[in-house]
Amino acid sequence: MFRTALRNVLAHKARLLMTVLAVMLGVAFVSGTLVFTNTISQAYQKSSAKGFDQVDVAVTAKYQDSEGDKVGKTPELTQALLDKAGKVPGAASATGVVTGFTAIADKDGKLLGGGWQSEGGNYWGTKDARYPLVSGHAPSGKGEILIDSKTAERAGYKVGDTVRVSVDGPVLTPRVSGIFTTDDGNVAAGGSLALFDTPTAQALFGKKSAYDEIDVKAAAGTSQTALRAALDQALPSKLVETSTGKQLADDQAQEISSSMSGLKQALLVFAGIALFVGTFIIANTFTMLVAQRTRELALLRAVGASRRQITRSVLIEAFVVGTVAGVTGLVAGVGIGAGLRSLLGSFGASVPDGPLVVTPGTVVAALAVGIVITVLAAWLPGRRAAKIPPVAAMSSVHAKATTRSLVLRNTLGALFSAAGVAVVLAATTMDADAAEGPMGLGAVLLIIGVFILTPLLSRPLIAAAAPVLRVFGVSGKLARQNSVRNPRRTAATASALMIGLTLITGMTVMAGSLQTSIDKMASSAIRADYVVSMANRSPLSPDVAKKIAADSDVTASSPLRNAVSRVDGRTEFLTGVNGPAITELTDLKVADGAFKVGGTQVVVDQDRAKDYGWKAGSQFTVHYEDGKAQKLTVTGVYEGNDMLNGIMIDNSVLTPHLSDASDMQVMVKTADGASDSVKDRLEKALGSNPAIKVQDKQDISNDIAKMFTTMLNMLYGLLGMAVIVAVLGVINTLAMSVFERSQEIGMLRAIGLDRSAVKRMVRLESLVISLFGGVLGIGLGVFFGWAAGELLGTKMATYELVLPWGRMTVFLLLAAVVGILAALWPARRAARLNMLTAIKAE
């Protein structure tokens, strides 16, 4: 039986090519994901490990937990602690480390690195082993700065150039005193690193002669663990905690591995979708192959082969196909991994140097996925073939499904579908956090149910296309009949496309609805013309709000100042605002009392009012971070949202209790309203700072829209793999269907159907099947998008379902294009059949 199976594979290479390609694409995606994530993870781990070469033990401040009315805080690492750490037995030196956000502009005034990985720090003394100088000298005073060599290369800076820098808002213009090299992972990923002398860094980052970390270098002959033990004994354990350099490197490696794990899982999900779609193709292909070889299999049964041997021969054939697909997919996956790494560079992100990593686990996974998926998909057709009685197979009376089997299939499909719909509907009534599991289960049950029912659904839905197909005459009529001749085959082919379009449509519905809801939230909650913030959402200096308020065009402004506090033994965040101006800048609906902020009068959102049992007129005591307490009065309860919520208190009351006041954003209203000229004036008043964003409502919406668009485009690209596999399935089904109907096509040609009509018939058949899958996919996608939106609506008051009719039309047209393209080769093959040879074919 092994020789028979092997002969079948070698004798019919062409007919199995599409199956091999379908499996290979899925395997390539899996192995490519593993190669890419392992390569990036290892490169960053090695790079980050180098960054700890100068650290034997790191001393950090230990957060003091909140207790009772006392607000938790992180103590300062003072100069006294630094001096003490440097004198511990076994310590060769101790370095005080200061870090903070530092944005650098290029020569055109644009922000380098997007701001998210723009870091700053201190250079220790005249030499710092952490940052070897390539050129220039150590910085001294506020007028000098060091920048990393990769940033200098990207921006074209050299020693002596003046750069525009921003730490928390105001623009600084220091001179580049030197350029250094670093193994910092953020720099390797496309970020920037700027260094000041220690006093300047402390002043800029609000440390006031303190440090974020103390790095201690061990003396010769002293181990990291021994040095750590000595530091633990010498330093106050209640205020600080210590970690060895090895421990930090291991923790960093674990963090990198965890971050890569999320990406890996996301990519593997899409690979799994492609493989799941591929199982329909494999099952379809082997079903047709077995159907074409029924007489051959019957002969084997007649000469003594058992049912198990027949099934085994089909599985051996599948094993060979899966092995070939697994090996070729692994090779292609290595290429995909290398390509994804290069693609990062084209997006402006650089990756530390390192070889491609192909682990034994990747090889095993690729082969296992290819073989297991193929064998499992071929098992049912093989089992079905073995059950056919030899005499029935010889007479070719085996193919039609019995009425009993159809009733059983349709009943099972209806039960699965009903259960799926019921679970999804039930999940929409649950709390969003608790509904994720039931929602996922319901979606799986519904997709399985629809797949089982697809043969039943194919007849009425394809029949609906009959009036259009009549336009194409005999070719259209034959195409419709061929489409419903074998409902199971049509269902399996259409289902492959259905799954991809279900996911694409569902995500598009959700993204479009979220975008509209956020636009509605911004327009309904904000009266301000502009919102000013840092590019990376880091805190703004209070000087920014002062400069804005001093502008003659500004009629009202308010910084939003966050502060931690304790209320009734619970940690609560306060939002400081300009009380007299906040009502002009916001338009929040008041549920109880009046929206009035000033002195000890505050407003709270409905969620907090419910938690604490507050209403208009309620009083409560707040404990600030400086330990002082104050009684506040609730004047109003408002409907909060994701943009504005919490306890709003006047800044004149809040700020005196803060050790380091900073603002998350500033809301601005101008006399002339929002316009390009007003926006330009505001930006110039802030020093044309590339790190500061001045946005009107439309800019905020566009920012969010850009985020959704980028995410959707990435998902479209990943789901494109599933669509490609579905195309291969349509091609495979049509090609083998043409082979099955060779005699019939020859007869049609003989009685007058010309080649163009034969091509048209095959193309229309493909078009109908693809549109059938497209309609099912879009319908399911809309349902899932609506259900997920119902959950989001519980957390977002402005959420409303928006159906993207334009995009759904594009998706349906995409399904049509898939059908037309997939039919090109099968239609050409059908038209070129020799009619006499075809008529004589069995």
Side-chain angles (χ1 to χ4, degrees), residues 669-685:
K669 194 168 185 64
T670 61
D672 298 329
S675 67
D676 290 339
S677 59
V678 173
K679 184 177 179 180
D680 288 340
R681 286 201 303 271
L682 282 175
E683 289 176 342
K684 288 178 181 177

Side-chain angles (χ1 to χ4, degrees), residues 592-812:
D592 181 27
F595 197 93
K596 183 179 180 182
V597 180
T600 59
Q601 295 179 320
V602 301
V603 293
V604 301
D605 65 355
Q606 284 181 316
D607 290 339
R608 282 164 182 78
K610 183 179 179 181
D611 288 343
Y612 290 101
W614 293 336
K615 58 183 179 180
S618 296
Q619 292 186 325
F620 64 92
T621 301
V622 62
H623 296 266
Y624 300 107
E625 67 174 52
D626 63 358
K628 295 181 180 180
Q630 188 173 36
K631 185 169 286 188
L632 302 177
T633 302
V634 177
T635 59
V637 177
Y638 66 93
E639 294 181 4
N641 55 51
D642 289 341
M643 300 182 74
L644 295 168
N645 58 61
I647 302 172
M648 291 191 189
I649 182 173
D650 195 280
N651 274 323
S652 63
V653 176
L654 175 64
T655 305
H657 300 285
L658 305 180
S659 58
D660 185 21
S662 59
D663 305 323
M664 293 311 297
Q665 59 187 28
V666 181
M667 303 177 76
V668 185
K669 194 168 185 64
T670 61
D672 298 329
S675 67
D676 290 339
S677 59
V678 173
K679 184 177 179 180
D680 288 340
R681 286 201 303 271
L682 282 175
E683 289 176 342
K684 288 178 181 177
L686 296 172
S688 300
N689 191 333
I692 291 181
K693 293 196 295 187
V694 179
Q695 297 178 296
D696 58 20
K697 294 177 188 178
Q698 190 58 50
D699 292 331
I700 295 172
S701 297
N702 291 342
D703 257 11
I704 297 168
K706 184 178 179 181
M707 179 182 66
F708 282 132
T709 301
T710 302
M711 179 187 70
L712 272 180
N713 289 339
M714 289 175 60
L715 294 175
Y716 287 162
L718 293 169
L719 287 172
M721 181 70 71
V723 175
I724 292 172
V725 173
V727 172
L728 293 175
V730 178
I731 295 173
N732 213 15
T733 299
L734 290 174
M736 302 192 81
S737 178
V738 167
F739 178 80
E740 276 186 348
R741 303 201 313 259
S742 296
Q743 189 177 49
E744 175 187 320
I745 292 171
M747 186 66 70
L748 290 171
R749 289 289 314 284
I751 61 176
L753 197 68
D754 59 20
R755 287 187 173 182
S756 62
V758 171
K759 286 183 180 179
R760 193 180 306 118
M761 175 187 71
V762 176
R763 288 171 184 163
L764 289 173
E765 180 182 349
S766 174
L767 181 63
V768 167
I769 293 173
S770 296
L771 286 175
F772 170 51
V775 168
L776 286 180
I778 291 172
L780 282 174
V782 169
F783 176 71
F784 291 140
W786 165 82
E790 288 295 297
L791 293 182
L792 289 172
T794 61
K795 291 189 173 183
M796 186 180 292
T798 57
Y799 184 86
E800 62 175 290
L801 179 68
V802 176
L803 294 182
W805 294 106
R807 290 207 175 193
M808 289 194 294
T809 302
V810 170
F811 296 155
L812 198 59

Side-chain angles (χ1 to χ4, degrees), residues 7 10 102 142 168 192 217 254 343 346 355 373 386 470 503 527 591 597 599 608 610 658 768 777 781 811:
R7 178 182 59 79
L10 297 176
T102 304
K142 296 182 178 180
D168 58 1
S192 63
K217 187 72 176 171
Q254 181 62 40
L343 190 63
S346 66
I373 292 293
R470 288 195 192 100
L503 295 169
R527 287 180 180 170
V597 180
R608 282 164 182 78
K610 183 179 179 181
L658 305 180
V768 167
F811 296 155

